[in-house]
Amino acid sequence: MAAAEETVTLIIKDRDPLIVSKLRLVENSPVFAEIFVELSQNEHDLSDFTTEIVEMFITLLEDGEVGEIREEDFRELHKISSVFEVRWLQESCRNWLEQKISAVEETMEYETFLYLAEECYLII
């Protein structure tokens, strides 16, 4: 009989806590490794992030790849990947932003240009 997968609890805003694979978090993040392995914690508070971003973050860690990122999710997704030092996700976010910048046209709307400039400023 196989051993049950070890889980940890993530406290999120406005919802019941998420029960997630400890291994998946620890494999992807040295920060989670410190929290759940070195410090032997069984839960961590992620209520500084929106529930939607935490759920997206966990899904991305499970899938191991990023599809399209919505502009309204980019900043928080990059922030959570930076806080927990998920290098491959940080890189994916930066690549997404670079693609957006590469697609800049002279006729770009001011709001789009401003959005790209603000996001570049925040990640450097």
Side-chain angles (χ1 to χ4, degrees):
M1 186 162 141
E5 183 176 20
E6 198 171 349
T7 59
V8 293
T9 303
L10 299 178
I11 309 301
I12 57 176
K13 285 184 190 178
D14 307 323
R15 261 204 37 215
D16 291 336
L18 294 174
I19 309 300
V20 299
S21 164
K22 177 180 176 178
L23 180 62
R24 182 68 64 209
L25 296 176
V26 169
E27 283 179 336
N28 283 280
S29 165
V31 176
F32 282 132
E34 177 75 18
I35 293 166
F36 297 126
V37 177
E38 301 299 323
L39 299 175
S40 300
Q41 300 294 311
N42 292 320
E43 70 177 35
H44 189 67
D45 187 349
L46 294 180
S47 60
D48 288 343
F49 300 97
T50 65
T51 300
E52 295 78 20
I53 289 299
V54 173
E55 290 173 339
M56 180 188 302
F57 179 66
I58 298 304
T59 299
L60 291 170
L61 295 183
E62 291 171 355
D63 293 347
E65 62 183 17
V66 178
E68 182 59 27
I69 299 173
R70 297 182 329 182
E71 287 184 10
E72 58 268 21
D73 296 331
F74 171 79
R75 185 177 294 178
E76 283 294 301
L77 186 58
H78 185 265
K79 179 179 170 185
I80 198 170
S81 67
S82 296
V83 167
F84 293 102
E85 299 178 13
V86 180
R87 300 291 182 223
W88 67 266
L89 186 52
Q90 287 176 290
E91 186 66 29
S92 293
C93 287
R94 288 187 177 125
N95 289 341
W96 176 87
L97 187 58
E98 285 177 15
Q99 289 174 352
K100 290 288 188 187
I101 292 168
S102 296
V104 169
E105 299 175 3
E106 288 182 29
T107 58
M108 176 185 288
E109 293 181 14
Y110 176 75
E111 290 79 20
T112 303
F113 176 78
L114 184 59
Y115 167 80
L116 292 173
E118 287 175 347
E119 297 311 315
C120 286
Y121 175 76
L122 290 171
I123 68 168
I124 50 176

